[in-house]
Amino acid sequence: MKGLNDVDFARARGGLTSWVAIALCCAALTGVFVSNEWSNVDQLRDEVERAESRIEQRQRAVERERLRQKQMTPEQRRIERILAEQQVSTTGSGLPVIDWIEHAWTPQIALKTLTVEKAGREARIEGGAADLSHIYIFVERLNDRHPDRKIGLLQHRTKAEDGKNIYHFSLSLEHP
C-alpha cells in the first residue's frame, strides 16, 4: 500500500476546465453580440427621431400654408390660381396654347411673334410661309377636331421679298 500513498485521486481546483473555458467564450461572444445590437438600436432610435422631426416640420408647413390660404383675399387667390396654371410640367411647356401650337407647327411655317395671354389660354401669332396653302394647313392642324378651340385667321397678305412671294399672316387662338 505504499505505492497508493503517492497517487492523488483528487483534481486540482485551481486550473480551468474545458467547460469553464467554453462558458467564458460564450459569455464573451454574447457580450459582443449584445453591444453590437445595442449600437444598432441606438442608430434606429436616431433614425426614428429624424423621421419624427421631418414629419413635425411638414405638419407645421402644412398648417402655415393652411393659415396663409385662409387669410388670402379673393384677388390673391385668383393670382395664385393663375400662377399655378403656369407651372411647367414634365410633358410639355405647361401652357396649353403653346403645346397646341407646337403640335400643329410645321417647318414650312415661320413664326415671327408669339404673344401669350390669359395664363396660356390665348395667343396671337404672326408669321410667314412660302405658300398660302401652308398657312391654311397650319390653321387646319390647329383646329384638329377640337370644337372648343377658337382659331381666327385675322389677316394674310403677300409681300415680295428677294424676288419671291412671302405670305404673311396673323392668327388669334383661344384654348378653353
Side-chain angles (χ1 to χ4, degrees), residues 130-149:
D131 190 33
L132 189 58
S133 65
H134 294 300
I135 296 170
Y136 290 129
I137 291 170
F138 180 56
V139 171
E140 186 177 312
R141 286 177 55 98
L142 284 170
N143 211 357
D144 198 27
R145 300 181 308 266
H146 290 278
D148 297 336
R149 294 179 180 168

Side-chain angles (χ1 to χ4, degrees), residues 13-171:
R13 295 196 178 242
L16 290 177
T17 64
S18 59
W19 288 108
V20 173
I22 290 172
L24 287 176
C25 285
C26 287
L29 288 175
T30 303
V32 169
F33 177 75
V34 167
S35 67
N36 187 26
E37 291 302 312
W38 192 270
S39 173
N40 288 341
V41 167
D42 285 342
Q43 289 175 353
L44 290 174
R45 281 186 187 140
D46 291 342
E47 286 181 31
V48 167
E49 287 175 6
R50 286 192 299 272
E52 287 174 345
S53 174
R54 286 192 305 268
I55 289 170
E56 288 174 10
Q57 288 174 352
R58 287 181 188 154
Q59 287 174 340
R60 285 192 301 266
V62 165
E63 183 64 23
R64 280 193 306 269
E65 181 62 22
R66 188 184 63 75
L67 289 175
R68 187 183 74 80
Q69 291 286 336
K70 190 175 181 180
Q71 295 172 351
M72 287 174 60
T73 65
E75 179 65 19
Q76 289 172 329
R77 285 190 186 110
R78 186 183 70 78
I79 292 170
E80 288 283 325
R81 181 181 47 81
I82 289 171
L83 290 175
E85 289 175 353
Q86 293 179 357
Q87 294 291 326
V88 176
S89 67
T90 58
T91 59
S93 71
L95 301 174
V97 75
I98 298 294
D99 295 336
W100 175 28
I101 292 167
E102 183 180 8
H103 177 69
W105 180 82
T106 61
Q108 291 81 18
I109 300 292
L111 301 180
K112 289 187 207 176
T113 61
L114 174 62
T115 308
V116 178
E117 297 174 344
K118 294 192 179 178
R121 295 186 192 277
E122 292 183 10
R124 181 179 171 102
I125 300 173
E126 292 185 18
D131 190 33
L132 189 58
S133 65
H134 294 300
I135 296 170
Y136 290 129
I137 291 170
F138 180 56
V139 171
E140 186 177 312
R141 286 177 55 98
L142 284 170
N143 211 357
D144 198 27
R145 300 181 308 266
H146 290 278
D148 297 336
R149 294 179 180 168
K150 297 177 185 171
I151 300 114
L153 181 56
L154 302 175
Q155 68 175 347
H156 63 81
R157 63 189 180 285
T158 306
K159 185 176 180 183
E161 294 180 13
D162 296 330
K164 296 179 182 178
N165 285 337
I166 304 295
Y167 294 91
H168 295 274
F169 66 92
S170 294
L171 289 172

